[in-house]
Amino acid sequence: MLPDPSDRAFFGRRKGKRLRPAQEDRLASLLPRLRVTPPEDGSRLDPATLFPTPVDEVWVEIGFGGGEHLADNAAKNPRVGIIGCEPFVNGVVKLLREVDERGLTNVRIRDEDATALLAAVPDASVARLYLLYPDPWPKRRQRKRRFVSDASLAEIARVLKPGGLFRFASDIDDYAGWTLVRAARCPALRWAAERAEDWRKPFPGWPGTRYEAKAIAAGRRPSYLTFIREPNPA
């Protein structure tokens, strides 16, 4: 079980630049229709029922930033329901604009910490889970706030279907190594890489993100890690 997010916040500030009127309008009118709220009684929710039309799979993206990757996936995969988690308001309104202008009906949003959502998701109900460029919390005293931990990887493995994918990207080498060490301790997850270029190449169909472009411009080389949910972990 993941720790109570009140004891260990994985994110920093909730809001940045002042919102424009159109952004405020979408936040007030569109977000309530898309918001995912875990049941207060502690019961599990059925992710596939959150969408207005039937979906073949459910994917989750934790910390979607400006929503570029999530929106691109939603547009390319209309039969996939995607739940995005992002507590940063300015990122949420960017995704809301994509949803509104592109008419995406297969997107739902959790605008709070992701831990409560994962806890409410049934076993083996998610086909893919993305964690892209999470806050690295680089100082040693901050590292307990990193999202990746033994507990979070066990929870990710629990919600993934056998053969499902956990995809992690970071431009911080220390965080990539941190993730590999902890994933190696999780018997239900297997690193899919067979050669060095496998973790240097973006995921198939990768659209890129603004954050990634800034990281590359600053000379940081991203790592793209894919883990497969083992059907029968030892």
Side-chain angles (χ1 to χ4, degrees):
M1 179 179 293
L2 285 169
D4 185 330
S6 64
D7 297 330
R8 182 166 72 116
F10 303 111
F11 53 88
R13 57 184 183 152
R14 293 295 302 270
K15 192 173 182 181
K17 295 179 180 179
R18 183 174 180 176
L19 301 182
R20 296 187 294 273
Q23 293 175 321
E24 293 279 11
D25 289 344
R26 289 192 182 98
L27 204 62
S29 61
L30 183 55
L31 179 59
R33 304 204 303 268
L34 304 182
R35 180 180 280 127
V36 176
T37 302
E40 293 184 1
D41 62 4
S43 61
R44 295 278 168 83
L45 55 80
D46 183 351
T49 66
L50 298 174
F51 305 93
T53 57
V55 295
D56 298 328
E57 294 182 345
V58 173
W59 299 355
V60 174
E61 183 169 332
I62 296 174
F64 57 73
E68 305 103 314
H69 175 263
L70 194 155
D72 184 74
N73 261 339
K76 290 176 178 175
N77 302 279
R79 294 282 302 180
V80 172
I82 305 179
I83 305 172
C85 302
E86 177 58 67
F88 190 48
V89 174
N90 297 73
V92 171
V93 295
K94 289 177 182 177
L95 178 59
L96 289 174
R97 178 179 176 178
E98 294 288 328
V99 169
D100 189 18
E101 295 185 349
R102 298 168 75 167
L104 302 175
T105 61
N106 57 333
V107 173
R108 290 295 180 266
I109 297 173
R110 165 71 174 163
D111 59 330
E112 298 286 343
D113 191 84
T115 54
L117 174 72
L118 288 182
V121 172
D123 296 0
S125 59
V126 173
R128 290 189 194 178
L129 191 145
Y130 292 92
L131 180 63
L132 306 177
Y133 297 102
D135 195 320
W137 297 108
K139 296 179 181 178
R140 186 172 296 275
R141 68 176 184 274
Q142 297 175 329
R143 289 179 183 174
K144 65 181 181 180
R145 300 182 70 178
R146 286 178 169 177
F147 190 86
V148 172
S149 66
D150 292 315
S152 67
L153 291 179
E155 191 75 345
I156 287 169
R158 179 187 68 79
V159 303
L160 282 175
K161 295 179 177 182
L165 303 179
F166 167 47
R167 285 182 165 160
F168 172 93
S170 179
D171 59 313
I172 306 300
D173 289 342
D174 174 73
Y175 202 172
W178 167 286
T179 300
L180 286 170
V181 167
R182 282 150 185 80
R185 298 200 292 247
C186 182
L189 295 176
R190 173 174 56 86
W191 189 23
E194 296 180 353
R195 57 188 67 84
E197 67 178 51
D198 290 344
W199 51 274
R200 288 304 188 190
K201 291 192 305 184
F203 308 123
W206 178 253
T209 70
R210 282 177 290 232
Y211 177 85
E212 179 186 63
K214 291 179 181 179
I216 293 173
R220 297 189 299 274
R221 190 176 183 184
S223 296
Y224 307 89
L225 310 180
T226 296
F227 302 92
I228 301 172
R229 173 60 161 92
E230 294 280 36
N232 297 300

